[in-house]
Amino acid sequence: MEDNGDFRCWDELIPDALGLIFKNLSLRETLTVVPSVCKSWRRVVMGPYCWQDIDVDQWNQQCRPENLDRMLQMLITRSSGSLRKLCVTGLANDQSFLFIADNAKSLQTLRLPRSEISDSVVEQVAGRLSSVTFLDVSYCRNIGAPALEAIGKHCKLLMGLRRTMHPLEVIDKLSQDDEAFAIATTMPKLKQLEVAYLLISTEGVLKVLENCPELELLDVRGCWNVKLDENFIKKFSRLKVVGPLVVDYLGMKGCDDCSNYSGSSGYLAWDFVAGNVGSDYDDEMSDGDWEDDQSMEDVEMRFYDGFDLDNAAFDWPLSP
């Protein structure tokens, strides 16, 4: 740093400070642009400082499953056990979930919508997710009450659960009240519960209300078998119920902290009401612009094949 204090040497900032700054960049920029600036910045990207919160939602929606697995393994390994938040759509198999669970000792927020995970693997590893406070398993077709029960029994700090489904994904089911009962009997500290389009009944919802006294938000949009008396709901002074009619839209974006439940009315199409998981993120600098094969090959070349930092050349075009 200069004596007069007018100039700062950015490469001399402590890694924690640089990590906080780099979190404002896209995944692509963090993995390719930042490491080429200087060796100290490259060391920060290689370490845990940038990877306490990992969000690959936009990128992974356009990549192949095997590349998603490799990317997750690389980033989670770099977190060195400090991973606090993970957002990824469409895990292709149980093995990826097992790897996440093995590195989840500090994990608080876990979003896994549209993932091909099973009841058996969730029951197997739920004990490793004990620090999770918010969980999103929306559109996960292969799990049900057994998985939710295991999560509830082991995740004692859980305050938010998102279990939204697509109407076509539950069309072959008669009832999913067993999921409501699993939630009611194992998740007493819930403050936010979203079960839009789940095939649950009034009995299932009443069981939840009876056993989850701290509940502040209950989203039952599209749960057509639920009939709740307005006067009965008024007994729960802190509770806001949305649905079952699709006439109220809450700003659900980033609702991981179970707060800010204000909404506005209006009839909405299902795709908008249920939410597009990728819509929470910045579209201006979309990581989805990458070409999948090129991106993974380039990342691996830079970090695993003796990448020459001082003579770097960028192969990926930057967004304008």
Side-chain angles (χ1 to χ4, degrees):
M1 184 179 295
E2 298 289 338
D3 292 338
N4 59 13
D6 292 335
F7 300 96
R8 295 180 182 274
C9 297
W10 287 87
D11 60 336
E12 295 180 1
L13 286 176
I14 61 173
D16 287 335
L18 287 171
L20 289 173
I21 294 170
F22 296 158
K23 285 179 182 179
N24 295 304
L25 302 176
S26 69
L27 180 64
R28 173 172 55 84
E29 289 175 317
T30 303
L31 288 176
T32 60
V33 178
V34 170
S36 72
V37 175
C38 62
K39 292 181 180 179
S40 65
W41 285 21
R42 180 177 185 267
R43 285 193 293 271
V44 171
V45 172
M46 291 290 290
Y49 310 100
C50 293
W51 311 114
Q52 294 177 349
D53 296 355
I54 297 177
D55 183 346
V56 295
D57 252 345
Q58 285 194 349
W59 176 77
N60 80 260
Q61 291 183 45
Q62 298 188 25
C63 79
R64 290 198 296 268
E66 60 269 23
N67 285 347
L68 173 59
D69 291 343
R70 289 154 63 193
M71 178 67 85
L72 284 176
Q73 289 182 17
M74 180 178 73
L75 299 184
I76 292 175
T77 299
R78 289 185 187 179
S79 73
S80 301
S82 64
L83 181 63
R84 296 179 305 191
K85 180 177 180 178
L86 176 64
C87 303
V88 54
T89 298
L91 288 181
N93 53 62
D94 286 343
Q95 290 304 312
S96 297
F97 185 63
L98 284 169
F99 182 77
I100 292 170
D102 286 340
N103 294 272
K105 64 180 182 181
S106 301
L107 191 61
Q108 298 174 1
T109 297
L110 180 59
R111 300 183 60 185
L112 301 172
R114 298 183 176 89
S115 292
E116 298 296 324
I117 55 178
S118 64
D119 280 330
S120 59
V121 74
V122 174
E123 291 175 298
Q124 177 184 341
V125 305
R128 304 175 210 171
L129 303 173
S130 59
S131 61
V132 170
T133 61
F134 180 89
L135 178 67
D136 184 351
V137 285
S138 297
Y139 320 110
C140 295
R141 300 169 296 177
N142 299 331
I143 64 170
L148 295 179
E149 182 176 356
I151 290 166
K153 286 181 177 179
H154 293 281
C155 302
K156 298 299 185 181
L157 302 177
L158 194 67
M159 293 188 294
L161 175 66
R162 186 173 296 158
R163 179 63 174 142
T164 298
M165 297 299 290
H166 192 291
L168 295 180
E169 292 173 339
V170 298
I171 198 170
D172 60 335
K173 299 181 183 294
L174 295 177
S175 172
Q176 291 173 293
D177 266 342
D178 57 342
E179 294 194 22
F181 296 147
I183 292 169
T185 55
T186 64
M187 303 180 188
K189 293 187 177 180
L190 280 184
K191 293 185 178 180
Q192 171 188 340
L193 176 60
E194 302 172 47
V195 288
Y197 291 92
L198 209 64
L199 291 180
I200 56 178
S201 67
T202 304
E203 182 184 1
V205 172
L206 292 178
K207 192 73 172 178
V208 169
L209 293 178
E210 177 185 345
N211 290 276
C212 302
E214 299 180 28
L215 203 60
E216 297 176 11
L217 170 66
L218 175 62
D219 180 3
V220 289
R221 288 172 293 180
C223 301
W224 308 119
N225 294 326
V226 173
K227 310 295 181 183
L228 295 176
D229 181 75
E230 186 175 345
N231 292 325
F232 174 76
I233 294 299
K234 288 180 180 179
K235 295 179 182 179
F236 303 88
S237 57
R238 294 188 300 175
L239 178 64
K240 181 173 181 65
V241 178
V242 186
L245 295 179
V246 185
V247 295
D248 194 2
Y249 171 63
L250 278 75
M252 298 296 226
K253 298 180 180 180
C255 218
D256 299 354
D257 62 351
C258 306
S259 62
N260 298 324
Y261 301 147
S262 59
S264 58
S265 3
Y267 285 91
L268 303 167
W270 182 87
D271 284 325
F272 184 59
V273 171
N276 183 338
V277 176
S279 65
D280 292 351
Y281 308 97
D282 184 57
D283 292 330
E284 261 183 66
M285 188 75 75
S286 172
D287 294 334
D289 293 338
W290 306 353
E291 294 180 9
D292 183 32
D293 291 337
Q294 183 183 12
S295 62
M296 283 304 302
E297 180 182 356
D298 194 54
V299 168
E300 291 188 345
M301 177 190 73
R302 291 174 188 274
F303 294 115
Y304 297 114
D305 294 338
F307 171 57
D308 182 359
L309 183 65
D310 295 323
N311 297 291
F314 296 114
D315 296 326
W316 294 347
L318 294 178
S319 299

